[in-house]
Amino acid sequence: MERDKALPPDPEAILEVRHLKKHFVLKKTITGKALSTLKAVEDVSFKILPGETLGIVGESGCGKTTMGRTILKLHKPTDGQIFFEGKDIAGYKSSQMRPLRTQMQIVFQDPYSSLPPRSTVGGILAEAVKVHNIVPKEKIKDYVLDVMDKCGLRDYYYERYPHEFSGGQRQRICIARALVLNPKLVVCDEPVSALDVSIQAQIINLLKKLQQERGLTYLFISHDLSVVKYISDKIGVMYLGSMVEFGDKESIFSNPMHPYTEALFSAVPNPNPDEKTDRIILKGDIPSPANPPKGCKFHTRCSKCMEICKHVAPAYREYEKGHYVACHLYPQED
């Protein structure tokens, strides 16, 4: 790990994460020493190239959202490196992050609670433009209306309030709020999970259209594999705070190597009634990240568990070009 820290960042990657950790202290002694720690994100590494979409999948509670917020420095990283355009921002203070806020934005899961109820749509969108001096004051309204139009919002929505809109329209407002700052990287934190299926398709298509028009890079967090397959170029599978598999969309879907990935894929409904899929039922519930199992974190629910899995954590290694897996079913040493 120390050797990795000395290596320069990939010049082609817009975002490179190395050994990222985020721990939350649950209990302390009187002197402030940690007694109990929740390891929400544990030793996660990946990179995204400009214009790509990286889909992050996993069960609820696996650390997807915490990882996304830590990358944006909404949570302070416990350890690791976060390279954005070649600069390690992991140790940046709030004042240093302020100029980068226009470059890195987030679309939250719940469009209703993430919008201030007492502000109009125009006021919500114009506020960030004013704070960061995106355009001159006299051009703010025209600029905001243009972004609204690109996000499928009518101009007369400008004077309306969030409670007057449907869930899909609110999510379009949230997307517009992120785009008014002309970001390069957008973290989409389950942006369609709270919406009807028909509306989900509209929002996903809007995100793809905006990506093509603006050259956006997405970190797309979701538990819906069909959505991730449609929008992503690369896929990372997380379990209990750790990345267990990572690779290109084609290699992940055609050759899932980790038993957890196989189980997730088996749960996806097959539209062809003539094709029978073998459903892999995971045993038990996901363990607590405050007290993870020894060895491989997945061994308590894995049908292919071996004795070594209970005691030794598997190495996270590249077995095909760009395809990384952490599992004892594959060679652990060169």
Side-chain angles (χ1 to χ4, degrees):
M1 182 173 170
E2 293 300 322
R3 180 175 57 85
D4 286 359
K5 283 189 174 182
L7 293 174
D10 186 339
E12 295 183 359
I14 187 171
L15 177 69
E16 183 175 359
V17 175
R18 292 184 189 169
H19 306 290
L20 183 66
K21 295 182 181 181
K22 178 56 189 174
H23 299 170
F24 295 97
V25 177
L26 301 178
K27 289 183 181 180
K28 293 181 180 180
T29 63
I30 296 175
T31 58
K33 183 179 179 181
L35 280 175
S36 177
T37 304
L38 188 150
K39 298 179 179 179
V41 180
E42 184 68 8
D43 201 22
V44 170
S45 301
F46 61 83
K47 64 179 72 171
I48 315 177
L49 301 181
E52 280 187 339
T53 299
L54 169 60
I56 301 293
V57 298
E59 294 172 286
S60 296
C62 72
K64 306 185 299 293
T65 295
T66 302
M67 183 193 70
R69 294 187 179 203
T70 304
I71 288 169
L72 295 180
K73 297 295 298 292
L74 300 180
H75 295 312
K76 184 180 178 181
T78 302
D79 195 13
Q81 296 172 290
I82 305 167
F83 292 100
F84 180 71
E85 295 190 320
K87 296 179 181 178
D88 186 1
I89 65 172
Y92 275 23
K93 299 176 182 178
S94 298
S95 57
Q96 294 173 292
M97 283 300 300
R98 184 181 172 91
L100 289 176
R101 292 298 178 202
T102 60
Q103 306 297 311
M104 310 165 73
Q105 282 293 303
I106 184 169
V107 178
F108 293 100
Q109 178 178 357
D110 185 355
Y112 188 70
S113 62
S114 63
L115 294 172
R118 296 186 178 183
S119 297
T120 62
V121 171
I124 292 169
L125 301 183
E127 182 180 12
V129 179
K130 292 175 185 174
V131 168
H132 292 280
N133 298 314
I134 304 298
V135 295
K137 286 185 178 180
E138 64 273 11
K139 296 183 179 180
I140 288 177
K141 184 172 183 178
D142 290 338
Y143 175 76
V144 168
L145 287 172
D146 182 60
V147 174
M148 286 174 59
D149 180 62
K150 287 181 169 59
C151 292
L153 297 166
R154 304 293 180 85
D155 55 359
Y156 55 83
Y157 292 174
Y158 192 88
E159 301 294 339
R160 292 189 177 181
Y161 292 85
H163 72 269
E164 299 180 67
F165 297 96
S166 66
Q169 289 171 324
R170 288 192 199 117
Q171 198 59 285
R172 288 176 185 269
I173 296 167
C174 293
I175 294 170
R177 180 175 59 180
L179 292 187
V180 290
L181 295 176
N182 286 324
K184 296 178 181 177
L185 172 69
V186 180
V187 175
C188 302
D189 183 13
E190 302 200 36
V192 297
S193 63
L195 307 177
D196 294 339
V197 175
S198 59
I199 306 301
Q200 286 184 14
Q202 295 176 20
I203 298 299
I204 293 297
N205 288 331
L206 172 64
L207 288 170
K208 291 199 73 164
K209 179 176 78 75
L210 292 169
Q211 183 178 38
Q212 293 170 356
E213 292 175 355
R214 292 172 169 252
L216 297 169
T217 304
Y218 289 146
L219 178 65
F220 192 91
I221 298 167
S222 179
H223 58 259
D224 190 330
L225 281 165
S226 57
V227 170
V228 170
K229 184 178 182 180
Y230 179 69
I231 198 171
S232 301
D233 301 301
K234 294 177 181 175
I235 294 174
V237 183
M238 286 187 70
Y239 183 79
L240 216 61
S242 299
M243 194 78 76
V244 297
E245 188 163 2
F246 179 90
D248 293 333
K249 175 175 64 177
E250 290 76 15
S251 61
I252 293 283
F253 274 89
S254 63
N255 182 30
M257 297 176 70
H258 198 281
Y260 180 59
T261 310
E262 293 177 352
L264 290 179
F265 285 9
S266 74
V268 179
N270 191 338
N272 188 346
D274 298 325
E275 284 186 18
K276 185 178 179 181
T277 54
D278 295 326
R279 179 78 166 89
I280 300 173
I281 306 296
L282 294 177
K283 299 179 292 184
D285 296 322
I286 186 169
S288 169
N291 186 26
K294 292 182 179 179
C296 175
K297 294 179 180 178
F298 186 60
H299 85 260
T300 58
R301 306 172 72 196
C302 183
S303 60
K304 300 177 181 179
C305 176
M306 301 177 288
E307 190 61 30
I308 190 174
C309 303
K310 301 176 183 179
H311 308 287
V312 181
Y316 182 69
R317 297 187 64 238
E318 185 178 21
Y319 291 96
E320 300 173 351
K321 183 173 175 56
H323 194 156
Y324 295 81
V325 185
C327 185
H328 282 296
L329 292 173
Y330 309 99
Q332 296 294 289
E333 298 178 0
D334 294 324

